[in-house]
Amino acid sequence: MKEKLFLHHKWAELGLVPPYTFEELVQGHSYCDACGTKITYVYRCTDKHGKKFEVGSDCIRHLNCSYLTTQAELAKKELEKQKKDAKRLERLAKKNAELAEKQRLWEIENQLRIKENIEKLKEEFPTYAEYITWAGTDEAPPYVKPIVTGK
């Protein structure tokens, strides 16, 4: 079994010289420079001489570098956190859009109700029609608003 792993991960043939430096983690589709496997989490690293290489989550552990493995794990946790936060923000944005739409519809209904109340009051009290119309405007003081709003 160990022999198979050694053949699968041929670090010496890649010409990579430790110490290795972790650069970044990206999510995409690429192939591991070490084993050729298709990978989703692409760990981009450099070696002592600045040679860049990309490996997957399994192969990065085979570098036998605890610093590199730790940095890779932290980067993966951060990426997962960012994804989770993005989903949460997306849900919040959707909820806010729904609430804004409800508020807009409520405002429209409220304006229609006020117009209906004004018309009913004008019919009922034609002598005060001008005052009733004025009470429904923004110029009217707050204490006369309940006359036309019904609140």
Side-chain angles (χ1 to χ4, degrees), residues 3-140:
E3 191 174 313
K4 187 176 183 181
L5 284 175
F6 179 74
L7 294 174
H8 189 66
H9 298 280
K10 300 178 180 180
W11 293 109
E13 291 179 13
L14 293 174
L16 301 173
V17 180
Y20 307 113
T21 307
F22 176 77
E23 298 295 328
E24 67 177 334
L25 168 66
V26 293
Q27 189 172 7
H29 296 289
S30 185
Y31 292 92
C32 179
D33 290 341
C35 68
T37 303
K38 188 172 183 178
I39 51 177
T40 303
Y41 292 103
V42 182
Y43 295 91
R44 293 184 177 154
C45 305
T46 56
D47 74 348
K48 180 180 180 178
H49 300 298
K51 183 177 179 182
K52 297 185 181 298
F53 60 99
E54 296 180 345
V55 292
S57 56
D58 287 336
C59 289
I60 201 162
R61 289 185 190 95
H62 288 98
L63 286 171
N64 294 328
C65 177
S66 60
Y67 166 77
L68 194 64
T69 306
T70 303
Q71 292 301 312
E73 288 173 0
L74 290 173
K76 187 169 182 181
K77 284 180 183 178
E78 181 62 27
L79 183 65
E80 289 170 354
K81 182 182 177 288
Q82 288 173 0
K83 280 196 232 174
K84 187 177 177 181
D85 289 346
K87 284 182 182 180
R88 185 179 58 81
L89 289 174
E90 187 178 316
R91 284 193 310 270
L92 285 173
K94 184 178 177 182
K95 182 100 173 163
N96 285 342
E98 290 171 0
L99 290 173
E101 180 63 16
K102 284 181 181 179
Q103 177 69 24
R104 188 184 71 80
L105 292 173
W106 180 85
E107 289 289 336
I108 291 170
E109 290 173 4
N110 192 38
Q111 290 300 321
L112 289 173
R113 187 173 39 78
I114 289 172
K115 285 181 182 179
E116 289 174 2
N117 286 348
I118 289 172
E119 293 306 316
K120 286 180 186 175
L121 288 169
K122 282 182 181 179
E123 288 175 12
E124 195 173 327
F125 305 101
T127 312
Y128 299 107
E130 188 176 323
Y131 178 73
I132 293 167
T133 302
W134 171 77
T137 65
D138 290 336
E139 297 172 2

